[in-house]
Structures are given as structure tokens and as C-alpha cells.
Amino acid sequence: MFCQAFTITGKILNRQSKEAVGFATVSFADNSLWTVADEKGRFVLKDVPGGKAVLLVHCLGYVTKSFDIDVKNDMPELVFLLAEENLTLDEVVVTARQKPRELTTSYTIDRTTLDHAQILNVADIRSLLPGGKTPIRQELTNDQRFVLRAKGGERGNASFGTAVEVDGVRLQNNAAFDETKGADVRSISSTNIESVEVVTGIPSVEHGDLSSGIVKIHTRKGRTPLTVELSTAPKSKLAAVSKGFSLGTDAGTLNTGFEHTESVSDPASPHTSYARNALTVKYSHTLNKSRGMPLSLDLGLTGNIGGYDSKADPDAFRETYTHMKDNGLRGSVSAKWLLKKAWITNLEFSGSVSYSDRLSKSNTNKSSSSSQASLHSLEQGYFIATNYDENPDAPVLLLPRGYWYVLQYHDSKPLHYMAKMKADWQHRFGSVSHKFMAGAELSGSRNKGRGVYYDNLRYAPTWRPYYYNEKPSVNNVAWYIEEKLSLPIRQNASLLEVKVGLRSDMTMIRSSTYGTVQSFSPRVNAKYTLRKNADGLLRDFSLYAGWGKSVKLPSLEVLYPRPKYSDDLAFAPGAMADGSTFYAYFTTPTLPRHNPNLRWQQNKQIEIGTELSISGVQVTLSLFRSQTVDPYICTLEHTPYSYRLTEQKALEKSIIPLQDRQYTIDRETGVVTVSDKTGTYSSHPLEYTRRDTYKDNYFYRNGSPIERNGIEWIVEFPRIRSIRTKFRLDGNYYRYKGVDETLIASIPAQTMTDNSPFRYIGYYVGSSTSATSHRTGGSIVSTIQPASPSVSNGAISEEVNLNVTAETHIPAIRMLFSVKLETSLYRYGRRLSQYKGRSYGFVVNKPEDLSGEDTDIYQGDVYVGSYPLYYSTWEDPDTKIPFAEKFAWAKENDKDLYNELAKMVLKSPTNYFFNPNRISPYFSANINITKEIGKWASISFYAYNFFNNMGKIKFSENRTETILYDSGFIPQFTYGLSLRLKL
């Protein structure tokens, strides 16, 4: 086989002014050959194979243009004209559009769309996706996370599995110790973004450590005028400036940008706020262009100083405040070299480091009329509460009486690093072309923070230190290979493309029982294009399908569970003669419990879709099914132990006067001795009783599978020329089902009949808990939330959303006007109680009943009860006794046992707990207007929920209704204005 190569040279010009467009990227659609034009717009492409091809030309501030060329010989001095990206164009996009030439569902959002929508928080781009809804609150005071093809409150850690990258730098939350959630993206500057790509389908094996899609954010790169942006809304203010400098011939470009954003939670009391001060510097240069082997080099540095602050609120209790830093620094370097060898086409390298400072502090007021004990003991034993002035290092301290402040710190400093190298080999065999890619990646995470601490132990509550920075880093080594084959069919009338890849991740966890864990992620995508730009009614038609598996690595919270401490009051004789208080506690620590059988969370996804054009109507349709396997959940383990309790009645026989008594406790035995300060009476020990109870320990494990199914669609009608308007329908159908059948051990928060600690452990089927951590109010640190039993161990939900967008574009006056009607046509939800495919609960005739024969818990308006599957005793915790059988036996034969076991029966709080909840349809409407004033200025205005919908929605679950105003279903009526100047 003989293939002749040619050379293409040319120049890129501005379509309007005919001025040179410098630093534009020129590449073939398959990315086999590429180069970057110089400052004068000249470019050279060497070793171009003969035949028909598609040439892409892209430059910052211009519309990407594709050119069909037929290479038969050298093509010198070609001229390509690019149009500036502004409102004089015939076509402007105001929503997310499906990315062309992709083999899976992937959407792109360009700068024009971001400006028109006035995106303040990058997480809000979800409203631009099919069926997406405008965020309820337009503010940054609450953390924002990406969730794709899932909902935030569902099981399976959906946000934790959504990957986010900024110029190739992964934003992740693997180094968090207090949550299993995705990265908070509030700190990302929204004004420096050039485009966003959202892959909701099956991504390339190049991307790992994810389970529910990836969001790739690209910042500005290239020469730009000085741009000033000002934005105002009732709850936010923004000011930004950016500039792309040309450093001269063969010196590259430098992009800089600074943004200050401040957002408040309540305009009437603007003292609780979030601030973002983002600085971006990016250097780009392409070397060796004249030799036909360009080397593209990018260096980036991004920093942010800001965070949440409520310190200045005069309505809060005096001197109380919460302050959370959100400071970060990200550095990256990437290089791509076009080698064009017989065995390699491109070689790429990238590296990044991300460091965050999330030191938070909270000052709260406390008060008490009596002294309370504060426990800090780290070892097992009996300890007496001591005044701080007597021994500030005592294991148990007495807090003062009266009023005081507690200043709590939470120091979290996550550090992430990554190095990646990949190579591809692209070749053509006749009409068949292929691209083989292979790569390797090293990544790691650790936390350099101190954890939770207090500046003054005199006022600190019960607390033990847990140092994040003492935990080793978690490293992951990955390799991947991928082959993409393009095969023309029927004399190039159609095209079959297939992409097959395999990724392997090896997670190395030092000093732990996990050791090295390996996981594999195979993925397959295929696309069959039957018609492309054809004549007739059906102009375009393609089908695509894919299957893939992805793995989400655990966070440090999952890998390094913190120890727990059980503190039991061993002796409290009441107030002393001088009014002081005496306390003695027994502390027993539980070492961290690692799970050597923990499996990494996985997601298996199937997708089928189509893209077609009928008489100018563009239709895209995607069907997906995903199953989350082995999600991370937190449970409790209970271990029996005993301690000695000395009660006040033991003092009844003491003849030592109250005012002369002095107490001591033996650290090992717990025996309390009372002595006479005057020496008149001899010392004597007090009688005690043995208390049997349990100590708890966190234990991370894998939960039951979770299923998600859905359909996404976009229908775009051709523009109606007479009114310069086009319409778009987009929406989605989404179904979720999550039932947890994991055996959950739990002890009721009750005591035995004799008021002793409860002696039985119940093993319940599943839990209603959907997250491993929970943050309430102004708390600066999340509370670990282990799975707790519930009469409901699952849920099912369905919804249908439809958006109608009318976009009017008048190029002559540079104006864009859009109205978007966001509707919820159907919402359904229901709690479930299932085990092995059958209902697990039972119907009770009266709320106080403890048994029932009817298992149809979904018949409506009935109270439901459920038993633990097993239970165990304090004496023999390893033997699991079937509960239902023993409970029925005890009812007839052992009333005492029956009364104790009855405390373990779960019951629904209401008779409509398991009723289906169908929510009536509702809608909201938004207006967006953008007007350009010449080439140098543009103004954008938005009004969300401009109808200020005050309608009512009905709930079938309990037959109630509520008004939509401030209901959390639609956004509050709000508006905003932005001004952009190009100087």
C-alpha cells in the first residue's frame, strides 16, 4: 500500500475586517494532525495524507468553523475566514447542545450561553441540560455540588461520583474526613470560563475515579481584549476583569483574570455572606511549528481567597459567628507533541497539584447553672472530673458555671496531585481509519489539616483530637488502552465507529488492612451514522449505544474511620457542701475498625441514543440505565463490656459528715473511696453495682445496589424567519429505586425495665439513611451519620420534566431574547419496605399494636410495623436469634422477655407513611435578554419566575396542598443585570 503525503499552508483571517487571527488552532476532525497559527494567522500542516477530510479551525472569541477539503496535492496559501462570536451571527445557542462527532451523550455550553444565562455558580449549568431546572436559590452561601443523572438526596453518594475538571485539573473530595460528597465548586470563577463539556454518557477510559459522569471546564486561552464585567442581583454582586496578552512572535500568549464575587443569604440582613476572590494566570505557547511537529505547552495557576462568614451579623448573639475559609491554589502543566512517527502520532503529558485551606471556626455562646463534665480521656479507665485550674491536662474537666463562649476550629487542608502521560497512534488503511491510545496515570490524596480542635480547653466540650495530617496518603496508579475504529460502509454513504477501552486502577493504601486494591473498568461505545447532510426529508440519522463500568475510589473518611469513645457516668454524689460538683466517668476507647472486605463503589451503565434531522427539525434522544453497585455506607458495630457504677444510695451508710467528705476513685477497678478531711473517721470503700452495656464503633461497608433509568430528549425546530424565533423542547424522564437490604445492627435508645442499659442488639433489614455524613445549621464540621434502622428501608421515585424555550434573535440590532417555561409534568415517590423481593413490614390495626398478619403495607392509610430479622444478647452477641419466632414464643411463655423485645419493634409514625405521593404539575418561567452595544459592550438581564407563580400544588400522600411561593419547588422571583465591556 502506498500513501502520498502533502503540505497545506494558509492564513486565518477575520471574516469582517480581514485582519489576521493569531494563535488559532487548526486540526483535522479526527485530531490526527494539528498545529497552531502564529501571531499573523499563518499555519503549516505537513505530511497530510490524500483524500477527503474535515478541517477544524478554532480560536478564542471566534466561532469554530469546519471546512471540507479534498487533498490531492500540495495546497498552498489557503485562506480561512472566521466569524467573531457575537450577536450579529445568524445562529446563537442559549442552551446546552449535544456535542457533534461523539460516540456517547455529551453536551457543550459555550461562552455566549453562559453570558446570556448569567451563570454565577458553575454548578447552575445543570439548568441548561435537558429537563434541567433553575436553582431554587440564587446564592453562594450554601455549598454547591454537581450531580448528573441522579438527585442529591438519593443513596449511592451520587455527587461523590461526579467528576469535575478545570483545564484537566481534577477537583475532588477524596481527602475529606467529614463527608462523602463531591467537590464544592463555588470557588470556580464563572467569568473566566470559555466553555463547559458535560459527559453524562459513558466517558473514555482516560477518565477514572468516577461513577456518574464528568464535567470538563475549559478556561480562556488566547489573545483577548481587556474585558470588564459587572453583575448585580438582589443576593449577589460580581466584578471581574480579564485580558489575553500576546507576548510577541514565537513567545505565546498570557491570559490573566481576576474576579470578586460576594453573595448573601438575605438581602434584608446581608451579614451572612460568601466571598470569592479568584485569580487566574495561564500561559500558552506552541513551539516547533515550522518543522511540522508542533509542541503545545500550557502552564496554569489558579487561586481563590474567600469563604463563608457570618461574623458581622448584629442580630446574632453578641460575639457569636461562623467563618469558613475556602482558599485554594491549583497549578497545572500540560504538553502535547505531534511526532508523526510510524508508530506514534501524539505524545501528551500533564501534571497538576491542588491544595485547599478550609480552616473554619465557630464561636458559640454556652450557659449552665451547674458544673458539667467535659471528657478528653484517651485511655481506658475511671477518671474524676477536675477543675481546669487544678490540672488543665486532666482527662475529665469541669466546665464553669454561668455564661461563656466556645471557639471551635476545624482545620482541613486537602492536597491532591496527579501526573498523566498518554500517547496515540492514528493511521488509515485505505478507507478505514483507527486511533489507538495508551496512557498511565499517578494520582494521590492526603489531608494536611489538624482536624477539630479548641483554643481553650477550659471551655471545650467533650472532644478528642483526631489529626488528619497523621494519616498517610492514598495513591492510585492507573493504565488504560483504547482503540477507536472508523469504518465507512456502502461506498462511504454511512459510517460505523467503534471505541473499545479498558482501564485498570491500582489503589495503594499504606499502613492499612486494605493494602493494594486493583479494579478494572471496561467500556464500549459505538455509533452508526446512516445519513449525514443528505438530501431529502431525512437529512441526518445516526444511532449510538454503549456499555461501561466505572469505579469510584473511597475517600479518606471511608478508609480511615475515626475511633469512638464510650463514656459512662461511674459516680455522681450530687453537690458538695461548698456547692461544687463531683463526677467520675469510665472511658473505654474503641480502635478504628477497618473493613478488609470493603469493595470499591462501581457504576454499570448502558446507553442507547439517536440523532436525526427531519425537515430541519433536530432531534436527539438518549435512553440510559445505570446501576450503582457496592455504594459506601457507614454502620455501627456494638461490642459488650461492663463497668462499675456507684450510686448515691451507697452513701447512706457513711457516717462521715457531708462537709468533710472527700472522694477518690481507683482508675483500674472503679472502686470509690470516701475519706474524712479532718481525719476523725476512717476511710471506707463504697458499694457498687456492675453495669452491662455496649460500646459502638464506626464500620464502613458496602450497601445494596441502586438502580436509575431515564430518557433525555431535545427537539429543536428551525427558525421561523418572519419572526426570527425558534423553539426548543427538552426534557427528561427519570426513575430511581434504592432498597437497602444490608443487615444493620442497632440498639434501641431505651433502657431495660429495671432502668439498666438495654441488653439486646437488633439486626434490621436496611436503613432509611441515604448519606454517610450530615451538616446542620452553622456547623463547621459534618456529623458522621451511620445507617439507622427504619420501618422503611428504601424508596422509589419517578418524574417527567419538560422545558419549552423560545429564542428570538435579531442580528441587525445585536439582540437576543429568550423565554424558558420550566414544567414538572409528573412527580411520584413512595417509601418501600422490602426484603428479597417481598414486602417486609406488616399492617397493624392500631398504632399501639405490635403484630399483624396482613403484609399488604401499600393498601393505603394503614400503620405499618416491622421486626428486626434477628437479635442477639449481651451474653452471646455472636449468636443471632430469629426475632419473629422468639417474639411470638415470648408472648405466650415469657412476659418479661416479650416486654423487652417489644421495644425493638419499629412502627410508622403516621398512617400515610407508605402512601404513594403524587405531586400535581407546576411550572415556572424565566426571561433572559442580551443586548450588544457595538463591539465593545453588552448588557444582559434575567428575571426568574417572572410570573411569580402563586399557584398551589397537591400531595396525594396525605391529601394536603401548599402554595408554590417559597415552597422549594420553583425559584423565588428574582432578577439580575450584567454589563460587559471590551476595551
Side-chain angles (χ1 to χ4, degrees):
M1 184 179 295
F2 175 79
C3 181
Q4 188 175 358
F6 304 98
T7 299
I8 299 177
T9 63
K11 192 173 185 179
I12 304 168
L13 302 178
N14 184 306
R15 190 180 69 178
Q16 287 80 20
S17 66
K18 301 302 186 290
E19 296 178 351
V21 177
F23 309 108
T25 300
V26 182
S27 65
F28 285 93
D30 58 4
N31 205 30
S32 58
L33 293 174
W34 60 273
T35 189
V36 176
D38 60 18
E39 189 177 17
K40 297 181 180 179
R42 298 186 178 275
F43 71 91
V44 178
L45 279 173
K46 295 184 177 181
D47 301 323
V48 179
K52 295 182 179 181
V54 178
L55 201 64
L56 300 178
V57 183
H58 167 73
C59 186
L60 180 64
Y62 292 84
V63 179
T64 299
K65 185 70 175 178
S66 62
F67 299 92
D68 295 323
I69 61 174
D70 189 0
V71 182
K72 297 180 179 179
N73 46 40
D74 290 343
M75 304 178 71
E77 300 304 323
L78 296 181
V79 176
F80 296 105
L81 302 179
L82 294 185
E84 293 185 42
E85 203 165 30
N86 53 44
L87 297 186
T88 62
L89 301 174
D90 291 334
E91 283 295 327
V92 176
V93 179
V94 298
T95 53
R97 57 182 175 181
Q98 187 127 347
K99 190 176 181 181
R101 291 182 291 275
E102 290 295 318
L103 277 61
T104 189
T105 304
S106 178
Y107 303 99
T108 59
I109 302 167
D110 59 20
R111 184 68 245 175
T112 301
T113 305
L114 296 174
D115 286 339
H116 185 65
Q118 298 185 64
I119 296 295
L120 180 68
N121 187 339
V122 67
D124 293 348
I125 65 171
R126 292 171 296 182
S127 64
L128 304 175
L129 300 177
K133 296 292 182 285
T134 301
I136 302 301
R137 300 190 179 275
Q138 311 300 313
E139 59 192 53
L140 299 177
T141 51
N142 295 318
D143 55 2
Q144 300 287 333
R145 329 250 179 176
F146 272 106
V147 181
L148 299 177
R149 286 182 170 175
K151 301 294 180 181
E154 298 171 347
R155 303 170 189 266
N157 314 301
S159 70
F160 187 55
T162 303
V164 181
E165 290 183 356
V166 180
D167 291 334
V169 180
R170 179 67 65 88
L171 303 183
Q172 55 175 289
N173 214 18
N174 289 2
F177 275 96
D178 68 328
E179 61 182 13
T180 308
K181 299 179 181 179
D184 185 359
V185 297
R186 286 180 295 174
S187 63
I188 299 177
S189 170
S190 59
T191 56
N192 196 46
I193 298 174
E194 176 60 21
S195 64
V196 181
E197 179 183 353
V198 182
V199 181
T200 59
I202 301 165
S204 166
V205 292
E206 179 183 353
H207 304 293
D209 191 16
L210 52 83
S211 60
S212 55
I214 182 172
V215 179
K216 294 189 281 187
I217 301 171
H218 307 284
T219 61
R220 287 173 172 152
K221 174 184 174 181
R223 185 170 56 186
T224 64
L226 177 65
T227 303
V228 178
E229 182 168 344
L230 303 173
S231 178
T232 181
K235 294 185 178 182
S236 62
K237 301 292 183 290
L238 179 148
V241 58
S242 63
K243 169 68 176 174
F245 298 91
S246 171
L247 302 181
T249 305
D250 296 328
T253 60
L254 181 69
N255 289 85
T256 60
F258 174 77
E259 177 193 305
H260 169 73
T261 302
E262 184 139 354
S263 178
V264 299
S265 58
D266 185 358
S269 181
H271 305 288
T272 299
S273 63
Y274 177 88
R276 178 173 70 201
N277 297 285
L279 177 65
T280 304
V281 179
K282 186 174 183 179
Y283 172 73
S284 305
H285 188 32
T286 303
L287 308 170
N288 206 31
K289 291 180 290 188
S290 60
R291 297 179 57 186
M293 299 173 63
L295 171 63
S296 176
L297 178 66
D298 291 323
L299 300 173
L301 186 65
T302 302
N304 178 70
I305 298 176
Y308 173 93
D309 193 0
S310 66
K311 186 174 182 179
D313 192 348
D315 296 326
F317 195 93
R318 185 173 179 265
E319 296 183 19
T320 61
Y321 60 87
T322 299
H323 178 72
M324 303 180 185
K325 286 185 180 179
D326 192 7
N327 301 339
L329 184 65
R330 299 190 300 269
S332 64
V333 56
S334 63
K336 181 178 180 181
W337 193 5
L338 178 60
L339 295 174
K340 293 190 300 186
K341 302 296 183 181
W343 52 276
I344 186 173
T345 304
N346 289 285
L347 178 64
E348 296 184 49
F349 168 81
S350 62
S352 64
V353 176
S354 175
Y355 175 76
S356 300
D357 178 9
R358 297 173 184 165
L359 176 64
S360 303
K361 56 184 179 179
S362 176
N363 199 41
T364 56
N365 64 297
K366 301 291 181 181
S367 63
S368 178
S369 59
S370 61
S371 297
Q372 302 294 324
S374 172
L375 290 86
H376 310 291
S377 49
L378 300 175
E379 299 177 353
Q380 181 170 311
Y382 294 85
F383 303 98
I384 296 176
T386 306
N387 288 319
Y388 180 84
D389 293 327
E390 295 178 15
N391 181 10
D393 298 321
V396 183
L397 294 172
L398 279 176
L399 295 175
R401 289 174 288 178
Y403 293 87
W404 67 92
Y405 291 93
V406 176
L407 182 57
Q408 181 191 40
Y409 294 87
H410 179 219
D411 182 23
S412 179
K413 292 182 171 63
L415 172 67
H416 305 283
Y417 46 88
M418 177 183 290
K420 181 190 299 184
M421 183 174 66
K422 68 175 181 178
D424 64 64
W425 177 50
Q426 304 177 53
H427 201 70
R428 173 177 270 177
F429 301 95
S431 60
V432 179
S433 62
H434 85 101
K435 177 181 179 181
F436 177 79
M437 180 181 67
E441 175 187 301
L442 170 64
S443 60
S445 302
R446 70 170 306 172
N447 199 306
K448 307 288 288 184
R450 181 178 168 183
V452 176
Y453 64 95
Y454 296 85
D455 65 336
N456 190 348
L457 289 183
R458 180 190 298 273
Y459 306 110
T462 295
W463 156 82
R464 273 85 176 192
Y466 182 73
Y467 298 105
Y468 300 164
N469 51 18
E470 292 182 351
K471 304 303 175 185
S473 61
V474 176
N475 297 307
N476 188 76
V477 176
W479 59 262
Y480 50 88
I481 55 174
E482 187 175 79
E483 171 68 27
K484 180 181 179 182
L485 189 68
S486 299
L487 177 64
I489 300 176
R490 294 190 298 114
Q491 298 181 348
N492 296 335
S494 58
L495 177 67
L496 175 63
E497 299 171 279
V498 180
K499 182 189 291 186
V500 181
L502 176 65
R503 179 184 179 94
S504 171
D505 288 275
M506 294 181 61
T507 310
M508 296 165 288
I509 308 168
R510 209 161 36 89
S511 304
S512 76
T513 59
Y514 303 103
T516 300
V517 180
Q518 186 171 23
S519 54
F520 292 95
S521 302
R523 300 170 198 171
V524 180
N525 286 295
K527 186 174 185 178
Y528 185 31
T529 304
L530 288 84
R531 298 175 69 85
K532 186 69 175 178
N533 295 328
D535 297 328
L537 182 67
L538 184 63
R539 296 191 56 194
D540 301 295
F541 182 45
S542 62
L543 299 170
Y544 62 89
W547 173 87
K549 172 186 166 184
S550 53
V551 176
K552 181 67 191 81
L553 305 182
S555 66
L556 296 185
E557 177 199 347
V558 175
L559 295 175
Y560 301 114
R562 63 195 66 206
K564 288 205 69 178
Y565 297 84
S566 298
D567 301 308
D568 299 286
L569 184 63
F571 181 53
M576 309 290 281
D578 59 358
S580 61
T581 309
F582 181 91
Y583 293 99
Y585 281 86
F586 175 68
T587 296
T588 176
T590 304
L591 296 177
R593 179 74 162 86
H594 296 277
N595 182 4
N597 298 317
L598 184 73
R599 299 177 297 275
W600 289 181
Q601 178 173 312
Q602 302 175 8
N603 195 65
K604 299 177 182 178
Q605 183 173 347
I606 299 175
E607 182 182 53
I608 301 174
T610 183
E611 302 173 30
L612 55 97
S613 176
I614 304 176
S615 295
V617 179
Q618 304 288 334
V619 179
T620 61
L621 180 68
S622 174
L623 294 81
F624 69 89
R625 180 183 186 274
S626 68
Q627 183 183 47
T628 302
V629 182
D630 296 327
Y632 303 120
I633 62 172
C634 179
T635 61
L636 286 178
E637 287 190 336
H638 307 279
T639 306
Y641 75 102
S642 300
Y643 69 98
R644 292 174 176 176
L645 171 65
T646 302
E647 299 179 290
Q648 289 191 32
K649 64 181 181 180
L651 293 168
E652 295 175 356
K653 298 180 181 180
S654 179
I655 60 175
I656 301 175
L658 178 63
Q659 66 274 13
D660 297 332
R661 292 176 184 177
Q662 185 174 2
Y663 304 102
T664 59
I665 189 169
D666 187 278
R667 176 175 173 179
E668 301 296 331
T669 65
V671 175
V672 178
T673 301
V674 58
S675 305
D676 187 353
K677 296 179 183 179
T678 65
T680 304
Y681 300 95
S682 59
S683 302
H684 61 89
L686 299 179
E687 294 181 355
Y688 60 83
T689 58
R690 196 182 88 161
R691 287 274 185 162
D692 299 332
T693 185
Y694 296 90
K695 58 182 178 181
D696 304 330
N697 201 7
Y698 295 122
F699 185 66
Y700 281 88
R701 58 198 299 188
N702 300 111
S704 301
I706 299 159
E707 295 182 0
R708 296 180 173 93
N709 303 280
I711 305 173
E712 298 171 346
W713 64 84
I714 301 175
V715 180
E716 285 198 41
F717 296 91
R719 187 176 300 278
I720 303 173
R721 295 291 179 181
S722 59
I723 59 175
R724 302 183 182 274
T725 301
K726 71 175 181 180
F727 294 90
R728 164 178 160 139
L729 304 178
D730 66 75
N732 68 331
Y733 162 77
Y734 174 71
R735 183 181 186 273
Y736 158 84
K737 183 179 181 181
V739 177
D740 184 19
E741 297 187 0
T742 310
L743 215 55
I744 304 297
S746 179
I747 302 175
Q750 300 190 48
T751 60
M752 303 291 285
T753 305
D754 61 359
N755 207 34
S756 62
F758 202 77
R759 299 177 63 87
Y760 303 114
I761 303 175
Y763 295 88
Y764 297 84
V765 175
S767 165
S768 62
T769 307
S770 60
T772 62
S773 57
H774 182 63
R775 180 171 293 168
T776 57
S779 175
I780 62 176
V781 61
S782 295
T783 301
I784 303 301
Q785 188 172 354
S788 58
S790 170
V791 69
S792 166
N793 67 331
I796 185 172
S797 65
E798 293 179 304
E799 62 180 54
V800 177
N801 301 295
L802 177 65
N803 298 331
V804 181
T805 304
E807 174 249 302
T808 301
H809 176 210
I810 309 176
I813 61 172
R814 294 176 175 254
M815 188 171 181
L816 181 63
F817 176 84
S818 64
V819 178
K820 182 180 181 183
L821 181 67
E822 301 176 346
T823 65
S824 174
L825 300 180
Y826 177 73
R827 284 188 65 173
Y828 164 83
R830 188 172 207 164
R831 298 180 182 91
L832 301 175
S833 177
Q834 294 182 358
Y835 184 57
K836 294 184 178 180
R838 296 183 299 174
S839 296
Y840 186 69
F842 54 85
V843 176
V844 294
N845 294 325
K846 295 180 292 183
E848 60 271 17
D849 288 351
L850 298 174
S851 61
E853 300 296 330
D854 189 356
T855 59
D856 184 11
I857 63 175
Y858 305 115
Q859 58 187 272
D861 296 333
V862 293
Y863 285 93
V864 176
S866 71
Y867 295 150
L869 196 62
Y870 306 100
Y871 81 97
S872 64
T873 64
W874 187 92
E875 293 79 9
D876 188 8
D878 296 327
T879 300
K880 295 183 176 63
I881 305 169
F883 182 89
E885 179 182 337
K886 192 69 174 181
F887 190 53
W889 176 88
K891 184 176 182 180
E892 303 297 332
N893 302 280
D894 190 339
K895 289 297 182 181
D896 291 337
L897 177 61
Y898 177 80
N899 292 333
E900 302 297 351
L901 295 182
K903 300 173 183 177
M904 306 174 72
V905 179
L906 301 176
K907 287 181 284 187
S908 61
T910 64
N911 66 337
Y912 56 81
F913 196 71
F914 283 96
N915 286 0
N917 190 25
R918 294 180 178 86
I919 302 176
S920 59
Y922 56 89
F923 73 92
S924 174
N926 303 333
I927 289 178
N928 291 80
I929 304 173
T930 299
K931 174 69 173 71
E932 289 183 346
I933 306 172
K935 297 175 58 177
W936 312 113
S938 66
I939 299 175
S940 295
F941 170 81
Y942 74 81
Y944 293 155
N945 188 19
F946 69 91
F947 283 143
N948 199 13
N949 193 343
M950 303 289 284
K952 292 183 178 181
I953 53 174
K954 298 179 180 180
F955 304 91
S956 66
E957 180 182 55
N958 53 5
R959 302 175 186 87
T960 61
E961 61 182 21
T962 185
I963 193 171
L964 277 170
Y965 176 78
D966 204 19
S967 63
F969 287 94
I970 61 175
Q972 296 177 338
F973 168 69
T974 187
Y975 49 87
L977 183 70
S978 293
L979 171 65
R980 287 171 293 275
L981 302 174
K982 296 181 180 181
L983 307 176

